């Protein structure tokens, strides 16, 4: 079986470096808030092109704490509306509602699956205070248009960059477009830790300082608490692991993009819709190919066919947020494009250690599907 993502094989490439980094932390005697975290924050901020990086426990906390910090700084008020794509993973929306803010769901762009600037504009009301674009599947949203819209209306922008480490438009990377960005380093991400981890990037020093306190019980100084904070800290072991893997991220991204190009050029089944690529060249700066998501109206049959032919696939995501029991107040609402996407999408194997032979096997299996 060709696995959807072979994490064991991915991390095995860096086994010696990872063990050395782990040993360094163990021998240091310092396990929270030490040199590894400080160094990773500097290195990841530099990678994204941002002034600040604040490590936190996970990607959801990165989004929650950023919105919370804006509330503390009185840039947001409880009940304010935050525009977010309806077809995102539920974490994007949980972060909004967790802060007593109001999520406003909008249909995505039909081609890219990302936030539609036109639909975002149509959703703006006198209560709108922020936009939360999601760089879904590793493709950067239309940030020039989104930022222009935000400036026009005086809105904050929080990028959900959980799947888009290194994605860029004209050299400007995810994490350096909005007022802040939340990243996840869940093990399956392009930059994945060996456990849960996350970070926020920003060019706003006041926001960064507030976030550093909020993640640490609301404290800048031990036993002095400015805010009613939380415990959401990126620990030294995970920071050390991420420092190792950050050095290899661009090479892994290049391999992912090569696989995406091969899929796009090789899959020719008339009943399967391929994801939009920004160009036909290998320089797909905008899309770091976290996932390669196809659409098929006979998804279940296709998935069974691929499994029978030794290809593991996953669905990102089977149920849209507005149809989840957690948001039962939205269950009667209809977002037809979002619903069709969630009904039809299927993610093919994608990982930097896939061989060319495996890629061709996936292509052959997809093309042999009898609809």
């Amino acid at each position: 079986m060709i696995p959807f993502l072979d994490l064991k094989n991915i991390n095995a490439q860096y086994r010696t470096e990872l063990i050395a980094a782990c040993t360094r932390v163990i021998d240091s005697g310092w396990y929270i808030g030490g040199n590894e975290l400080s160094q990773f924050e500097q290195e990841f901020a530099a990678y994204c092109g941002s002034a600040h990086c604040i490590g936190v426990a996970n990607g959801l906390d990165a989004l929650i704490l950023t919105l919370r910090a804006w509330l503390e700084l009185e840039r947001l008020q409880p009940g304010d509306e935050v525009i977010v794509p309806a077809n995102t993973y539920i974490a994007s929306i949980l972060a909004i509602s967790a802060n007593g803010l109001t999520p406003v769901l909008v249909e995505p762009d039909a081609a890219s699956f990302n936030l539609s600037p036109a639909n975002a504009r149509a959703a703006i009301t006198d209560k709108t205070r922020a936009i939360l674009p999601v760089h879904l599947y590793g493709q950067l949203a239309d940030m020039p248009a989104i930022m222009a819209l935000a400036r026009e209306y005086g809105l904050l922008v929080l990028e959900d960059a959980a799947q888009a480490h290194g994605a860029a438009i004209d050299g400007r990377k995810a994490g350096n477009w909005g007022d802040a960005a939340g990243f996840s380093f869940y093990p399956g991400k392009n930059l994945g830790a060996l456990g849960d981890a996350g970070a926020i990037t920003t060019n706003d020093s006041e926001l960064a300082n507030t976030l550093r306190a909020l993640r640490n019980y609301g404290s800048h100084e031990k036993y002095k608490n400015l805010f009613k904070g939380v415990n959401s800290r990126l620990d030294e072991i995970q920071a050390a692991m991420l420092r190792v893997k950050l050095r290899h991220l661009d090479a892994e991204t290049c391999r992912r993009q090569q696989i995406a190009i091969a899929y796009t050029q090789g899959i020719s089944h008339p009943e399967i819709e391929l994801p939009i690529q920004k160009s036909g060249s290998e320089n797909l700066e905008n899309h770091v190919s976290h996932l390669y998501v196809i659409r098929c109206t006979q998804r279940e049959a296709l998935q069974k066919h691929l499994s029978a032919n030794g290809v593991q696939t996953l669905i990102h995501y089977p149920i849209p947020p507005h149809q989840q029991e957690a948001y039962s107040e939205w269950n009667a609402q209809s977002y037809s494009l979002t619903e069709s996407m969630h009904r039809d999408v299927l993610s093919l194997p994608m990982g930097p250690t896939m061989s060319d032979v495996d890629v061709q096997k996936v292509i052959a299996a997809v093309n042999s599907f009898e609809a």
Side-chain angles (χ1 to χ4, degrees), residues 87-210:
N87 63 314
T88 185
Y89 181 56
I90 197 170
S92 311
I93 298 168
L94 289 172
I96 300 169
S97 58
N99 279 289
L101 301 166
T102 304
V104 176
L105 309 186
V106 299
E107 292 274 47
D109 173 73
S112 70
F113 292 11
N114 277 329
L115 180 67
S116 162
N119 291 345
R121 177 182 290 276
I124 293 173
T125 73
D126 58 3
K127 296 180 180 178
T128 306
R129 294 293 180 271
I131 304 175
L132 202 161
V134 181
H135 306 318
L136 200 62
Y137 308 150
Q139 181 165 217
L140 208 63
D142 187 352
M143 292 308 296
I146 291 168
M147 294 308 299
L149 180 64
R151 286 191 293 270
E152 180 180 347
Y153 286 90
L155 306 177
L156 295 164
V157 176
L158 171 57
E159 300 172 65
D160 183 339
Q163 301 181 355
H165 316 76
I169 296 175
D170 296 330
R172 187 173 177 180
K173 289 180 179 175
N176 193 31
W177 281 93
D179 297 284
F183 286 88
S184 169
F185 305 123
Y186 180 78
K189 304 300 186 185
N190 288 28
L191 179 59
L194 273 67
D196 270 326
I200 302 144
T201 57
T202 184
N203 292 311
D204 183 337
S205 296
E206 186 180 30
L207 175 64
N209 289 333
T210 303

Side-chain angles (χ1 to χ4, degrees), residues 236-284:
E236 287 289 281
I237 288 284
Q238 296 305 335
M241 301 297 100
L242 288 166
R243 291 186 68 198
V244 170
K245 298 188 72 177
L246 180 58
R247 294 195 291 267
H248 302 283
L249 177 57
D250 285 346
E252 289 198 359
T253 296
C254 182
R255 177 57 183 159
R256 286 175 176 272
Q257 292 170 333
Q258 290 171 354
I259 294 167
I261 291 168
Y263 281 160
T264 299
Q265 294 176 345
I267 295 173
S268 58
H269 197 292
E271 300 298 321
I272 293 173
E273 181 181 332
L274 302 181
I276 297 296
Q277 301 287 357
K278 287 295 182 181
S279 73
S281 72
E282 294 187 13
N283 183 25
L284 302 175

